[in-house]
């Protein structure tokens, strides 16, 4: 590539950088998304893995099966639209996620992934959090080369980073049916949680070192209440499976302390602790008051006493009205549930998201 052409591209991208982050005078923060299938926007479409959602009936209310593990939009889709974006954050592995498009943000999330690199190995390929951070580091260098180090630092300082991970470390690692039985006899849950927390602290610190300053940390939801866990635990009856929820809360308690520590020690940052466990558990316990008719049986189901045995697929039975179901499939919420979760993260009080909500975070001006 000749030097004049290269310079023209850099100038064009710099102009786009200025214009892309503003709409009608209002700044729209770029969104960088890390996590698992709860927020995967299609990265697993490009992997050799059993954890895929790029087939019907997934995306039935989205318009097509994009690789999102739900009937419509994910939580991060709803949040970025509520902040004013007219486009959803694209998956990193999509060949079209290049050039000026990344200045609006990138989604690195991968279904089946977790904090620990051993998590999700039964699925085949997946991009665990360490590898997602590696991918972001590559994006970061590209942006620096386009707009310069100073402008890039300012850009990342205003962007919103979100990390939604940890569920698979329990569901598809520590509590994997049959496979993990021996491990649970040898490794007490306290030790496993300590390992998760130690690793995740390092990962969040690395994200800060790569330039992230506004970071939303999503805790683990009530994984014992998903249809898969109800199905897998013969002692659960009509209730949630107790032990996965207890371990999730054990982890969440330590995670809250980590977020407090990072806020105190990493200068110029604002980490936000999102209590999705509390929000989702409230939805499940009071589903009728939210307009739902089913909090146990997923909309897309095939087998099992609550339809939680087999992932959603072309041969599954799909409910007619997705807005009446908390769960889309054995693992993931419907768009209707995601909307409630997203609204509470966007505008909720400190019992839902601490110390500030996402709207407040987006408007926050941080010192260098």
């Amino acid at each position: 590539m000749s030097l004049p052409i290269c310079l023209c591209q850099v100038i064009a991208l710099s102009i786009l950088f200025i214009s892309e982050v503003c709409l009608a005078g209002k700044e729209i923060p770029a969104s960088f998304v890390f996590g698992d299938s709860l927020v995967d926007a299609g990265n697993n479409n490009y992997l050799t893995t059993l954890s895929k959602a790029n087939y019907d009936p997934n995306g039935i209310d989205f318009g097509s099966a994009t690789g999102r593990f739900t009937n419509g939009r994910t939580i991060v889709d709803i949040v970025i639209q509520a902040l004013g974006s007219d486009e959803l954050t694209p998956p990193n592995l999509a060949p079209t996620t290049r050039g000026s498009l990344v200045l609006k943000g990138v989604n690195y999330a991968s279904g089946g992934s977790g904090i620990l690199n051993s998590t999700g190995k039964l699925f085949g390929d997946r991009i665990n959090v360490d590898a997602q951070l590696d991918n972001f580091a590559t994006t970061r260098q590209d942006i620096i080369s386009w707009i310069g180090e100073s402008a890039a630092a300012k850009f990342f300082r205003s962007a919103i980073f979100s990390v939604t991970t940890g569920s698979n470390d329990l569901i598809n690692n520590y509590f994997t049916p049959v496979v993990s039985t021996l491990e649970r006899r040898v490794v007490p849950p306290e030790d496993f949680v300590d390992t998760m927390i130690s690793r995740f602290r390092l990962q969040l610190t690395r994200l800060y070192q790569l330039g992230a300053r506004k970071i939303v940390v999503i805790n683990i939801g009530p994984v014992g209440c998903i249809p898969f866990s109800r199905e897998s635990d013969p002692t659960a009856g009509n209730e949630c499976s107790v032990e996965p929820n207890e371990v999730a809360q054990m982890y969440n308690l330590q995670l809250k302390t980590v977020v407090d520590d990072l806020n105190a020690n990493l200068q110029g940052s604002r980490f936000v602790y999102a209590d999705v466990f509390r929000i989702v558990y409230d939805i499940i316990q009071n589903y009728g008051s939210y307009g739902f008719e089913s909090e146990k049986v997923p909309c897309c189901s095939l087998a099992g006493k609550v339809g939680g045995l087999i992932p959603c697929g072309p041969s599954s039975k799909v409910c007619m009205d997705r807005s009446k179901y908390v769960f889309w499939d054995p693992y993931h919420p419907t768009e209707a549930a995601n909307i409630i979760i997203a609204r509470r993260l966007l505008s909720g009080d400190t019992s839902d998201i601490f110390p500030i909500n996402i709207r407040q975070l987006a408007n926050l001006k941080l010192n260098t």
Side-chain angles (χ1 to χ4, degrees), residues 7-77:
L7 286 173
C8 285
Q9 287 182 336
V10 171
I11 292 168
L13 283 165
S14 298
I15 294 170
L16 280 166
F17 164 67
I18 296 169
S19 62
E20 294 286 4
V21 297
C22 297
L23 181 66
K26 179 184 177 182
E27 288 191 5
I28 300 172
S31 173
F32 292 92
V33 179
F34 303 82
D36 52 33
S37 57
L38 291 169
V39 291
D40 188 349
N43 283 307
N44 278 25
N45 298 353
Y46 304 93
L47 302 180
T48 304
T49 177
L50 296 175
S51 182
K52 286 180 182 282
N54 58 339
Y55 49 79
D56 294 339
N58 295 295
I60 189 171
D61 297 307
F62 194 91
S64 63
T66 61
R68 288 169 171 81
F69 291 76
T70 185
N71 60 301
R73 295 170 296 166
T74 67
I75 297 169
V76 291
D77 291 335

Side-chain angles (χ1 to χ4, degrees), residues 127-199:
I127 311 166
N128 283 316
V129 174
D130 284 327
Q132 291 179 34
L133 292 172
D134 291 341
N135 290 338
F136 170 66
T138 300
T139 302
R140 174 180 176 272
Q141 283 305 124
D142 288 342
I143 291 174
I144 289 173
S145 69
W146 295 335
I147 64 175
E149 192 130 13
S150 177
K154 183 178 180 182
F155 169 70
F156 290 125
R157 198 158 58 242
S158 66
I160 291 182
F161 294 76
S162 62
V163 191
T164 306
T165 191
S167 296
N168 283 319
D169 294 285
L170 300 189
I171 303 168
N172 293 307
N173 190 330
Y174 193 69
F175 287 107
T176 305
V178 182
V179 176
S180 66
T181 303
L182 179 60
E183 180 183 10
R184 289 204 303 277
R185 289 176 182 165
V186 176
V187 181
E190 294 82 2
D191 290 356
F192 189 80
V193 166
D194 285 346
T195 301
M196 287 177 64
I197 287 292
S198 296
R199 189 72 215 160

Side-chain angles (χ1 to χ4, degrees), residues 174-254:
Y174 193 69
F175 287 107
T176 305
V178 182
V179 176
S180 66
T181 303
L182 179 60
E183 180 183 10
R184 289 204 303 277
R185 289 176 182 165
V186 176
V187 181
E190 294 82 2
D191 290 356
F192 189 80
V193 166
D194 285 346
T195 301
M196 287 177 64
I197 287 292
S198 296
R199 189 72 215 160
F200 197 33
R201 180 191 289 270
L202 293 174
Q203 291 164 344
L204 291 174
T205 302
R206 184 184 176 200
L207 189 56
Y208 170 85
Q209 292 168 343
L210 289 169
R213 292 298 179 266
K214 299 180 179 182
I215 305 170
V216 182
V217 183
I218 312 292
N219 71 3
I220 297 178
V223 290
C225 298
I226 65 174
F228 172 78
S229 294
R230 293 179 190 267
E231 203 80 66
S232 304
D233 183 357
T235 67
N238 289 323
E239 303 302 320
C240 300
S241 181
V242 173
E243 191 178 6
N245 279 353
E246 289 179 343
V247 178
Q249 285 293 62
M250 186 189 305
Y251 166 87
N252 291 340
L253 189 63
Q254 290 194 42

Side-chain angles (χ1 to χ4, degrees), residues 278-279 282 290 340-348 352-353:
R278 179 180 188 275
I279 296 170
D282 176 50
Y290 286 100
I340 297 169
I341 298 165
R343 285 175 177 168
R344 288 175 66 166
L345 296 181
L346 279 159
S347 305
D352 283 340
I353 182 164

